[in-house]
Amino acid sequence: MSIKKDITIRARIAFLAVLVLAVGIVYRIFHVQWITGDKWREMGRAHVLRNREVPATRGNIYSDNGSLLATSLPYYRLAFDPTACDKQIFNEKIDSLSLVLSQFFRDKSPAEYRRKLVDARARKVRYLYLNRGFKLDYQQKKKMMNWPIFRLGKIKGGAIFEKVYNRKRPFEELAMRTIGYVNEDHQGAGLEFSFDKFLAGVNGQALYRRLAGGHWKPVNDGNEIEPLDGNDIKTTIDINLQDVSETALKKALQYHRADFGCVALMEVETGHLKAVVNLGSDGKGNYVEKENYAVAGRFDPGSTFKLASYMALLEENKIQSTDTIQTGNGRYRFYDRDMTDSKPGGYGVITVQDAFERSSNVAVSKLVVRHFGATPQRFLEYLSKFGLAEPLGFQMKGEGKPYIKKTSDPTWSGTSLPWLSVGYEMLLSPLHILTFYNAVANNGKMIQPIIVTEVSRADDVIETFEPIVLRDEICSEKTIETLRSMLEGVVERGTASNIRNADYKIAGKTGTAQKLINGHYTQNYYTSFAGYFPAHKPKYSCIVVIDNPQGFNYSGSDVAAPVFKEIADKVYARDMQMHKIRPLEKGKDDGSFPLIQVGNFSDLHELCDKMGISNYMNKTIVEDDNSKEYWVRAEASNKSVMWRLRKVEDNIVPDTRGMTLKDALFVLENKGLLVEFTGRGRVYTQSISPNARVYRGNTIYLHLK
């Protein structure tokens, strides 16, 4: 009996335990369902349904003439809900859909696509990506909407096209570092980052459903908050001058096998930056825009800084350009260090003007120590007055802040002042040096550099940025006059005489600074040339920097100055207001003929034949099937008109001088250029030089006469 009783007790205990557990489960179900149900339902919805941000379309970045530098182009991601379609239609059309998917994406066979879609339908997958990593443009999307099943639409066909935006630069790598970027963490560089608050817009919101695999599908419940698209910004960049500057710099960097280089080109009166180029070596012989050396870089400027030293001396009324200075054998000791000149044996006794033109280190350091040695703080005060000691407040983030050693610095010594006078023991950005030289060109008025002129939405201007005057007068008019004469002398007779030319005058200063590495000056050099042109009436200022050139030539005159001249020559050639336009050369008079200059060969040939004028062209050209498309110019020869071929090459700006307006419009607009003209008659001048690279959408100005 005891065994039976024991078994009965155990069974009752087990029954009671199960009963308690069952009661607990029922209570827990009741508690979850009715007492805390709202909480859990809300958590469930949060995991399945969620309001997510809908990115706004980013604003455009334009050049000075309205050409697009950066824009957001719409692309699409393709997803598919295989359960949305009617079973019969799905079975009938799945083979056709699989075939077109395979032909379009070329990543799977039709059979693989069919198996993928059928399996997804069987598993009731309602959101299946079909183009992972493949961005569709609008035309591709439009074509797909006519595919089998997809043509039934989103509800009945299950095709889901999600719009995404991709940032595009029409000019590709041109000015890439200046245009910049913004990443997903809202960090970046350049204009994109600096003006993000204007370009980004305001994101919207929409309800999304979470699907298997972590994908989110828009619900489109009608409560979406539409995003507010970003504003556009207009820059001062001239894309043609940017291209000219980049081409010239890259060629020099490759030739000298340098580490990096930069160019900044500025309008003297307005401070508008027309080109900013930053190229660094990728270690494989190529040069790419990866760092903003012109704005953020800080370097010992070297001899380009001597302009400030002489400005301080002239303002102190301590020297005149005709004074003489003893430079001896080109070596002078300050305490425990020797200041040396680049010329072996030195220059002996020379004038201040000659000392500047020949970039004598000994001369300027002796003069500065002689007149400011007892009061070095006064020299530093002059540098502050000249606008060299404070940041420029440039519009782009990341500006390199200037550093000039102070007398309170623990490392200040007896050699600090003479070395400061020749551009050492300081760190300045190329843009800061350019701004200083621009002030000299601008009769003493220092203008803050500007790269963005306005923010707009469509045709409505929201905000404008006007040039800001940093210093009304950095020095006296007399000092400016003297310094400008000295800067011209550098190119006419001094270290930059290799860039002198007869068409217009350049004023500027070369710089060759030894680089400080691990606390020691090395045989690596930082070369530069800063100046402006035309010297008599400055319109543009420019600085060229090339770091660590290799080979025998390593001075600023040999490395940086020729790049400056190449840029200046091309700027001068395309700016008709800077010089007198030379008339077209007229051929010799070899008979009396109607005025024929340039035109389409087929038209001119037919016209001359009807008028009974003898005309001929190279036989091989005439027999060419494409001869009717040739553009020719006329020459009188043996009482006949001889046609000379004038080629119109792809991606090259043609020479339209001498053409009628009709012919010029035909040729230029076919290249994608916008044409504006003044005058009547034939094309006399064109603003973009022949044989320059074509950028579609740019404006070319023609003057007819």
Side-chain angles (χ1 to χ4, degrees):
M1 288 293 291
S2 61
I3 295 175
K4 183 177 179 181
K5 186 177 181 180
D6 185 57
I7 293 172
T8 302
I9 292 173
R10 288 185 181 185
R12 287 176 178 175
I13 292 173
F15 174 77
L16 288 174
V18 171
L19 181 63
V20 171
L21 180 62
V23 171
I25 291 172
V26 171
Y27 172 77
R28 189 61 181 167
I29 291 172
F30 175 82
H31 186 273
V32 169
Q33 182 70 24
W34 300 103
I35 298 177
T36 62
D38 291 341
K39 170 188 173 183
W40 295 110
R41 278 188 288 272
E42 184 62 30
M43 289 180 65
R45 280 194 296 270
H47 281 81
V48 177
L49 294 174
R50 181 179 298 175
N51 280 317
R52 303 184 70 195
E53 282 193 343
V54 179
T57 304
R58 197 167 179 81
N60 298 326
I61 300 177
Y62 293 100
S63 70
D64 63 343
N65 69 349
S67 297
L68 272 173
L69 296 178
T71 187
S72 293
L73 296 180
Y75 288 88
Y76 299 88
R77 286 195 295 254
L78 172 62
F80 181 49
D81 180 359
T83 67
C85 183
D86 179 78
K87 182 178 179 181
Q88 181 180 348
I89 296 176
F90 183 85
N91 291 335
E92 289 177 357
K93 302 295 184 181
I94 186 62
D95 290 334
S96 300
L97 179 60
S98 300
L99 178 62
V100 293
L101 285 169
S102 176
Q103 291 175 340
F104 185 85
F105 292 117
R106 299 180 180 276
D107 59 343
K108 296 181 180 67
S109 67
E112 289 175 313
Y113 265 111
R114 188 184 194 285
R115 185 165 54 253
K116 180 178 181 178
L117 299 180
V118 170
D119 289 347
R121 182 180 174 91
R123 290 184 287 109
K124 299 187 183 302
V125 174
R126 302 194 60 188
Y127 199 83
L128 179 67
Y129 269 120
L130 295 178
N131 70 322
R132 189 175 299 279
F134 192 105
K135 294 178 181 177
L136 306 170
D137 61 31
Y138 177 76
Q139 293 301 323
Q140 290 170 325
K141 174 205 171 190
K142 192 174 179 181
K143 180 180 179 181
M144 288 180 172
M145 290 173 67
N146 292 317
W147 283 1
I149 300 181
F150 287 4
R151 68 170 61 102
L152 298 176
K154 181 178 180 180
I155 304 300
K156 295 182 178 180
I160 304 168
F161 292 95
E162 287 186 27
K163 184 184 288 187
V164 293
Y165 285 91
N166 191 39
R167 204 65 171 162
K168 297 290 289 184
R169 290 186 292 268
F171 296 102
E172 298 178 346
E173 295 185 0
L174 205 63
M176 183 172 71
R177 190 57 182 73
T178 303
I179 296 169
Y181 65 93
V182 173
N183 60 25
E184 293 179 355
D185 298 325
H186 301 289
Q187 298 298 313
L191 293 168
E192 293 275 19
F193 181 59
S194 301
F195 288 84
D196 186 53
K197 68 176 182 178
F198 295 109
L199 293 166
V202 180
N203 292 338
Q205 279 196 340
L207 189 64
Y208 283 76
R209 181 185 300 277
R210 185 182 176 89
L211 303 174
H215 301 303
W216 291 88
K217 175 183 177 181
V219 175
N220 298 323
D221 62 346
N223 294 318
E224 297 86 2
I225 300 175
E226 292 294 328
L228 180 64
D229 293 342
N231 299 315
D232 303 328
I233 62 172
K234 184 177 181 180
T235 72
T236 60
I237 296 295
D238 183 318
I239 202 65
N240 291 305
L241 299 185
Q242 180 77 23
D243 182 43
V244 163
S245 301
E246 182 172 314
T247 301
L249 179 62
K250 182 178 288 187
K251 183 169 62 176
L253 290 172
Q254 291 171 337
Y255 179 80
H256 294 287
R257 293 172 285 122
D259 288 349
F260 68 81
C262 64
V263 170
L265 178 68
M266 184 191 298
E267 278 186 350
V268 169
E269 188 175 352
T270 64
H272 287 186
L273 285 166
K274 308 310 292 182
V276 181
V277 184
N278 298 280
L279 294 173
S281 173
D282 64 357
K284 301 177 183 178
N286 301 314
Y287 289 88
V288 295
E289 292 225 348
K290 58 182 182 179
E291 299 289 341
N292 198 338
Y293 306 108
V295 177
R298 301 191 308 163
F299 314 95
D300 286 319
S303 294
T304 55
F305 188 80
K306 291 175 184 175
L307 181 67
S309 297
Y310 279 103
M311 184 180 288
L313 290 164
L314 288 166
E315 282 294 276
E316 193 75 354
N317 292 318
K318 298 296 184 181
I319 64 168
Q320 294 182 3
S321 62
T322 55
D323 291 348
T324 58
I325 178 75
Q326 173 62 265
T327 65
N329 63 356
R331 183 178 296 272
Y332 191 82
R333 179 166 285 267
F334 292 97
Y335 296 92
D336 59 340
R337 295 176 66 184
D338 286 337
M339 181 71 71
T340 59
D341 283 334
S342 59
K343 181 185 177 182
Y347 299 106
V349 178
I350 55 174
T351 65
V352 168
Q353 174 83 30
D354 288 337
F356 187 78
E357 292 176 3
R358 300 181 186 186
S359 197
S360 170
N361 294 326
V362 172
V364 68
S365 59
K366 285 183 67 176
L367 288 168
V368 168
V369 170
R370 179 187 302 172
H371 298 294
F372 293 103
T375 56
Q377 183 60 35
R378 182 157 178 79
F379 179 76
L380 297 179
E381 288 171 358
Y382 271 119
L383 300 186
S384 181
K385 177 187 175 183
F386 302 157
L388 290 167
E390 297 82 30
L392 297 170
F394 187 48
Q395 291 173 306
M396 288 173 60
K397 295 179 180 179
E399 175 193 346
K401 294 183 179 180
Y403 164 76
I404 299 176
K405 182 177 286 189
K406 299 178 180 179
T407 54
S408 58
D409 194 297
T411 61
W412 181 273
S413 68
T415 61
S416 293
L417 184 60
W419 260 257
L420 278 170
S421 71
V422 295
Y424 288 94
E425 301 202 17
M426 63 179 65
L427 295 171
L428 295 174
S429 71
L431 184 62
H432 214 133
I433 292 293
L434 174 62
T435 304
F436 176 58
Y437 273 73
N438 193 80
V440 174
N442 201 25
N443 297 317
K445 182 185 291 186
M446 180 174 279
I447 305 291
Q448 183 186 63
I450 184 171
I451 197 168
V452 173
T453 56
E454 67 180 39
V455 178
S456 63
R457 177 178 292 277
D459 294 329
D460 297 327
V461 176
I462 297 172
E463 188 171 349
T464 59
F465 302 97
E466 299 293 335
I468 296 175
V469 179
L470 299 178
R471 300 280 194 283
D472 286 316
E473 191 177 76
I474 62 172
C475 62
S476 68
E477 185 177 339
K478 180 181 178 182
T479 296
I480 288 292
E481 184 178 346
T482 302
L483 290 174
R484 286 180 59 167
S485 176
M486 292 167 69
L487 288 166
E488 285 185 46
V490 172
V491 179
E492 293 300 307
R493 299 171 296 275
T495 56
S497 59
N498 57 316
I499 67 170
R500 182 180 63 237
N501 67 76
D503 294 325
Y504 65 99
K505 286 189 176 183
I506 294 172
K509 182 72 184 71
T510 56
T512 309
Q514 287 182 287
K515 295 184 67 177
L516 185 67
I517 301 177
N518 297 325
H520 300 282
Y521 286 105
T522 66
Q523 294 304 307
N524 296 327
Y525 295 91
Y526 172 87
T527 70
S528 59
F529 185 90
Y532 52 86
F533 61 95
H536 71 285
K537 190 178 180 182
K539 185 170 183 180
Y540 294 98
S541 60
C542 182
I543 187 168
V544 176
V545 169
I546 295 180
D547 183 76
N548 196 22
Q550 303 298 306
F552 180 75
N553 294 325
Y554 56 82
S555 68
S557 59
D558 293 322
V559 178
V563 178
F564 184 103
K565 182 179 185 298
E566 183 175 344
I567 295 169
D569 283 348
K570 291 180 178 177
V571 172
Y572 181 81
R574 72 183 294 271
D575 194 329
M576 294 181 290
Q577 297 178 350
M578 290 171 63
H579 58 100
K580 294 181 180 179
I581 305 297
R582 294 177 179 176
L584 291 170
E585 294 183 4
K586 297 181 180 180
K588 61 181 180 179
D589 187 8
D590 197 7
S592 297
F593 302 101
L595 178 61
I596 305 172
Q597 291 186 22
V598 181
N600 179 270
F601 170 69
S602 179
D603 293 344
L604 294 177
H605 179 62
E606 182 179 356
L607 182 62
C608 286
D609 284 349
K610 288 185 176 181
M611 295 179 67
I613 300 173
S614 175
N615 65 100
Y616 62 96
M617 195 173 184
N618 187 289
K619 183 178 179 182
T620 57
I621 295 178
V622 174
E623 291 176 350
D624 190 332
D625 290 338
N626 296 321
S627 63
K628 292 183 178 180
E629 303 302 322
Y630 283 129
W631 293 88
V632 295
R633 60 183 176 86
E635 272 189 16
S637 176
N638 296 325
K639 298 186 178 180
S640 298
V641 174
M642 181 175 64
W643 306 117
R644 294 281 189 187
L645 186 64
R646 177 174 283 189
K647 292 184 179 180
V648 180
E649 299 179 6
D650 293 339
N651 301 320
I652 297 297
V653 175
D655 186 354
T656 62
R657 292 173 298 177
M659 288 187 179
T660 63
L661 179 60
K662 180 193 76 170
D663 288 343
L665 288 173
F666 177 83
V667 172
L668 295 171
E669 290 182 348
N670 276 341
K671 296 285 186 181
L673 295 168
L674 304 177
V675 182
E676 294 188 14
F677 66 93
T678 57
R680 299 177 64 183
R682 293 178 178 270
V683 178
Y684 189 66
T685 60
Q686 60 186 67
S687 62
I688 302 178
S689 303
N691 300 320
R693 191 186 306 178
V694 166
Y695 290 111
R696 298 184 69 86
N698 272 9
T699 301
I700 184 170
Y701 299 91
L702 306 180
H703 177 59
L704 279 58
K705 191 173 179 180

